[in-house]
């Protein structure tokens, strides 16, 4: 990973950790990745981080399905219908992924993979 890409990924990783929509497992893996930089386990942690990023990026279709499910109603409460409608709106505009702060950071990080 060149210096410029690395700085961008570190910046996006910090934004990801701070995002209220980021799950606990991804926050932990992101923090471990940051801690591994310039350490002997960096390559291994980069691979783990990439795997966790891929697993946690939510497609817009999955967002809509979740918002319309019983679980989604538990998570989003009375805003579940709004979340589903928002998902439909961004899908119609061409979005492939959820546009919450966590998913935006994940998508930005994964877009740099060719430079890793």
């Amino acid at each position: 990973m060149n210096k410029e890409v690395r700085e961008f990924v570190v910046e996006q990783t910090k934004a990801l950790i701070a995002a209220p929509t980021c799950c606990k497992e991804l926050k932990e893996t992101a923090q471990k990745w940051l801690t591994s930089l310039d350490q002997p386990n960096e390559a291994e942690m980069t691979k783990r981080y990439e795997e966790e990023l891929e697993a946690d990026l939510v497609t817009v279709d999955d967002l809509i399905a979740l918002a319309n499910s019983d679980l989604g109603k538990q998570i989003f409460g009375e805003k579940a219908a709004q979340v589903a409608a928002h998902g439909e709106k961004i899908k119609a505009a061409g979005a492939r992924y959820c546009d919450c702060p966590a998913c935006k950071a994940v998508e930005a990080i994964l877009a740099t993979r060719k430079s890793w």
Side-chain angles (χ1 to χ4, degrees):
M1 194 179 305
N2 71 41
K3 182 181 177 186
E4 187 176 293
V5 170
R6 183 179 179 141
E7 287 174 2
F8 176 79
V9 173
V10 167
E11 175 186 310
Q12 290 299 311
T13 297
K14 289 177 180 178
L16 175 64
I17 292 169
T21 53
C22 185
C23 71
K24 178 184 170 190
E25 296 81 13
L26 183 52
K27 281 185 186 203
E28 289 172 358
T29 303
Q31 187 58 58
K32 287 178 184 177
W33 178 76
L34 287 173
T35 303
S36 79
L37 296 177
D38 297 321
Q39 300 300 315
N41 66 334
E42 180 178 348
E44 176 188 339
M45 284 307 305
T46 298
K47 183 173 172 37
R48 281 192 197 163
Y49 187 35
E50 181 181 16
E51 290 169 355
E52 190 68 32
L53 290 165
E54 289 174 345
D56 290 351
L57 182 58
V58 177
T59 67
V60 72
D61 288 331
D62 286 345
L63 172 65
I64 295 164
L66 174 62
N68 286 321
S69 72
D70 289 338
L71 177 60
K73 290 173 184 153
Q74 290 175 6
I75 294 169
F76 301 118
E78 60 189 45
K79 293 187 177 188
Q82 288 175 299
V83 172
H86 175 74
E88 293 289 355
K89 179 180 175 183
I90 64 172
K91 180 179 179 177
R96 291 181 54 206
Y97 300 104
C98 171
D99 65 347
C100 75
C103 286
K104 282 179 156 181
V106 170
E107 189 175 7
I109 293 166
L110 290 176
T112 69
R113 281 191 291 189
K114 291 182 181 179
S115 301
W116 291 13

